[in-house]
Structures are given as C-alpha cells and as structure tokens.
Amino acid sequence: MTFRNGLGSLLRPEDSVLVLIDHQPYQLANVNSHEPQMVVNNTAALAKVAKAFGVPTILTSVIADRGGLIFPQITDVFPGQEVIDRTFINTWEDRKVVDAVKSTGRKQLIIAGLWTEICVAMPTIQALGEGWDVTVVTDASGGVSTEAHEVAIRRMIAAGANMMTWLAVASEWQRDWARTEHAAELSEVLVQHAAGSGIAFLWEQQLLNTPVPGTVD
C-alpha cells in the first residue's frame, strides 16, 4: 500500500472536486448508521463549505423519478445547477459524471453519498484504481446499518482511500487562519451546522463584545 502522508497529501481547495451522490429520500429512509437529520446537516455543511472555497461540486442522483430529488438543503446551495440523474448504481460508470469531474482539472476527488457500502464504495474503489486521490467524507454518508457503513469504510481504506469528516475537510481547506478570504464564510457554516462548536464561537463573539465591568473601589 502507498501511504497517504506528508504535507502534499493534505486537501487543497484549488485541487479539490466534490461529488455528492444520491442524497435522496429513498436512500435516507433506510439509513441506520447515523441519525438521518445528522446526515442531512453534515452534507449541507459540506456543500456550503465547498461553495465558500470555490471547490467545484457535482450533484448526482439515481432514478430521481422514483427515488426522489436531492435534498433541497443541498440543491439550494447551488441554485440552478444541473443534477446528473443516472441509471448506473456505480457513479463512476456514468460518463457524464466522470467527464464533469475531469473537466475541472482537479486531482483530489472527494466523495460523500448514500449508501456508503454501495453508492460510495463502488465509485471510490474504481476511481482509486484509475489513479485518483480519493477522500470519502464519512459523516456526510450513511449505510443501511452500522456494520454496512463500517465494513465499507474498511474496504475503501484497504483500497487506498482517505477517510475524513466534513469539519476536518473544512479545516484542511482553511489550513491557516491568516488566510482570511474565506474565514467569514467558514465561520457562518460553523455557526449553522457545527452544533457545540458553532455555539461556542457565538459565545466567544459575545464575550469579546461585552464591556469589561468597571472595578469596584
């Protein structure tokens, strides 16, 4: 196995492309590895962070007429963008999706989707075999059981994939707080989607803007 390490292996927004796969009602109805609302929250956060950092994002569904439309929490982030609807279970066998990814010129492929063991594992393993640097966002994905999700993760790691959570992806893209061009947008996503961390940030801002009480003589 080739180990993925060193500074050059960290995610860079200018070299990343995100593919969000099958975040649809039919699949969400049988997600049992995570709380469904958490998957929706985390995927929406990932989409917003990608938009903030200018990371191209491809949205794809499978037979949307029957499985339902991609969650509006995701499509609202990219108003007017085409969702590529497929018949292939394996996204990486769909020429339109692959061509959309390749057209970005990016080499760091980031994937999240439903279900982990099927619609995430298949394209991840195929893309790895074709030389792509693939990262799977595990908490913006979900399987039909905890076992299915975890076995899929182990399978993809064995194939050479990198595993991260959405907040880790966001932090790696930011990398340095001295890079202020996206800090405000990232902070807003944290407030909306990062639960305790977002609330703690708001509290910090409150404290920084609260006058220090006068000294009692």
Side-chain angles (χ1 to χ4, degrees):
M1 177 186 293
T2 300
F3 290 99
R4 191 180 188 281
N5 54 29
L7 182 62
S9 72
L10 299 181
L11 296 181
R12 302 173 295 279
E14 67 274 12
D15 203 25
S16 296
V17 53
L18 173 64
V19 181
L20 297 179
I21 301 172
D22 301 352
H23 291 93
Q24 299 169 252
Y26 176 84
Q27 284 85 337
L28 188 69
N30 198 28
V31 166
N32 296 293
S33 60
H34 299 74
E35 286 289 341
Q37 66 181 22
M38 188 179 81
V39 175
V40 175
N41 174 78
N42 294 348
T43 310
L46 179 62
K48 290 177 181 179
V49 172
K51 185 173 184 179
F53 281 91
V55 172
T57 301
I58 286 87
L59 307 179
T60 182
S61 58
V62 62
I63 314 180
D65 285 348
R66 283 182 277 170
L69 301 175
I70 297 289
F71 309 148
Q73 291 89 339
I74 299 170
T75 53
D76 286 353
V77 179
F78 308 101
Q81 179 171 318
E82 177 191 7
V83 175
I84 301 173
D85 196 41
R86 317 177 321 277
T87 58
F88 281 108
I89 296 174
N90 176 12
T91 296
W92 213 246
E93 290 185 72
D94 188 287
R95 195 73 255 159
K96 195 170 182 180
V97 175
V98 175
D99 287 347
V101 172
K102 288 183 176 179
S103 71
T104 68
R106 311 295 181 96
K107 299 300 181 184
Q108 294 183 323
L109 175 60
I110 302 169
I111 293 176
L114 305 178
W115 297 309
T116 318
E117 66 274 25
I118 300 171
C119 300
V120 175
M122 285 190 205
T124 294
I125 290 168
Q126 183 179 346
L128 285 165
E130 296 174 2
W132 289 83
D133 177 359
V134 184
T135 292
V136 172
V137 187
T138 59
D139 62 348
S141 304
V144 301
S145 66
T146 300
E147 178 182 6
H149 182 76
E150 292 179 351
V151 168
I153 288 173
R154 291 199 295 271
R155 183 185 180 203
M156 290 185 285
I157 290 172
N162 179 45
M163 299 291 143
M164 296 177 71
T165 58
W166 81 263
L167 190 53
V169 171
S171 300
E172 213 150 288
W173 281 339
Q174 176 65 34
R175 194 79 63 82
D176 183 351
W177 287 116
R179 301 173 181 171
T180 57
E181 59 268 33
H182 303 297
E185 293 166 287
L186 175 57
S187 297
E188 183 60 29
V189 177
L190 296 180
V191 168
Q192 293 176 358
H193 296 281
S197 296
I199 297 303
F201 175 78
L202 289 176
W203 184 31
E204 179 184 72
Q205 299 308 301
Q206 175 192 334
L207 294 177
L208 289 172
N209 287 285
T210 300
V212 177
T215 304
V216 177
D217 294 328

